Structure formats: structure tokens, C-alpha cells
Amino acid sequence: MRHSRLLILPALAAAIVAPVSLAASSQPSVVVVSHGPVKLVYTDLGASGPSVGDVYSAYVPARGPGGKPARVLGTLTTVAENTPARGREIRTAKLVFLFSRPADQIEIGGASVYSSVAQTRPRRSTTIRPIVGGSGAYAGASGWAETIHFANGRWEHRLHLDR
């Protein structure tokens, strides 16, 4: 009888500790990338002026984890005019965050509403988009990205990783 208790106690402890450890390890980690004001390159495709097919391209020097150099690059493409209201448009995003090692990347996608006469989201706004993948140290990345445009013109991207 005593022998079986010695076996049961460690098994019981493992049954309690394992789920707690797994739950703790599944908490998302957050990678923060920040930078100053953004100047996008506008390519007017399709009808003249704001219209479906227009592309905004970006290459932005930034700071990543630990203040190390990073870059944000990508495109915003207009896919809907006067939606959800007149003077608004929907743009899809393909944004890539490149870190110290060029192989270490996180890509976000998704869509957001913009003013048809503004290059970027307004100051004092937050945009949520999905993380669609990663490579290198971020291989298999998934989760969501929170992009904050502060009142002072600075930007912060909080990349919430599920892995």
C-alpha cells in the first residue's frame, strides 16, 4: 500500500503542474516596433485620384525589441471607395517587419478604413490586423497586431504572438 502511494503522489503532482505549465507557455508574447512619422509613396492606378487599385508603399526605419534597428516595409492597396461612408475607403495591408537579422520577419495583413485624402490612419487611432506569418526566429508566427498612431505623430506596433 505504501509503495503505491509513492507512485500516485508524483503522478498527481504532474497532472496538476503540466496543465498549468502548458497554460503559462501558451500566453502570447508581444514584440514592439516603434518609429516616427511616415511618408508613403503614392501610386495612382486606375481612375485618376483616389480609386480602387491605388497603392501606398512604405519603407520605414524603426526600433524593434531591445531598441535594436528594425524596418517596416510594405503596401496599402485601396480596394473599396466611399465605404463605409462617403470620403472613406478600405485599404488592405501587406506589412513586413524586418528585424536585426533579415531572416527574422513578421508579416501582417488585413484591412482598415482610411480617409480617401490621407496617406495614413489618423493620429490618436488604433488599427487591429492579423499576423499572417513569420520566418527565422519568428517562423510560424500567428496572432494579431495592434498599430497605434499617437497624437505626436509617432507609431507603435504591438505584435501579439500566440506561439
Side-chain angles (χ1 to χ4, degrees), residues 83-163:
T83 302
R86 185 151 190 78
R88 304 299 230 173
E89 59 188 33
I90 297 174
R91 297 180 194 159
T92 58
K94 178 184 176 81
L95 300 176
V96 179
F97 296 83
L98 291 145
F99 298 96
S100 296
R101 286 181 352 119
D104 297 337
Q105 301 180 21
I106 297 174
E107 182 180 331
I108 66 172
S112 190
V113 176
Y114 290 77
S115 166
S116 61
V117 296
Q119 287 194 345
T120 64
R121 296 272 304 147
R123 291 180 182 202
R124 297 182 185 94
S125 69
T126 299
T127 305
I128 305 295
R129 295 185 178 101
I131 293 174
V132 297
S135 63
Y138 302 104
S142 65
W144 57 282
E146 176 184 21
T147 298
I148 304 164
H149 191 183
F150 294 103
N152 66 4
R154 296 204 49 79
W155 296 80
E156 185 172 284
H157 307 272
R158 298 176 188 164
L159 310 175
H160 299 262
L161 303 175
D162 290 334
R163 59 171 190 91

Side-chain angles (χ1 to χ4, degrees), residues 7-112:
L7 294 175
I8 291 173
L9 287 176
L12 182 59
I16 293 170
V17 171
V20 171
S21 296
L22 288 174
S25 68
S26 68
Q27 293 299 320
S29 61
V30 179
V31 174
V32 177
V33 177
S34 60
H35 56 81
V38 175
K39 178 72 174 148
L40 300 175
V41 174
Y42 175 65
T43 305
D44 188 6
L45 300 172
S48 183
S51 63
V52 171
D54 291 353
V55 177
Y56 297 82
S57 302
Y59 178 90
V60 182
R63 291 279 171 213
K68 292 183 179 177
R71 292 162 292 199
V72 182
L73 51 109
T75 56
L76 300 169
T77 304
T78 303
V79 296
E81 298 175 77
N82 294 315
T83 302
R86 185 151 190 78
R88 304 299 230 173
E89 59 188 33
I90 297 174
R91 297 180 194 159
T92 58
K94 178 184 176 81
L95 300 176
V96 179
F97 296 83
L98 291 145
F99 298 96
S100 296
R101 286 181 352 119
D104 297 337
Q105 301 180 21
I106 297 174
E107 182 180 331
I108 66 172
S112 190

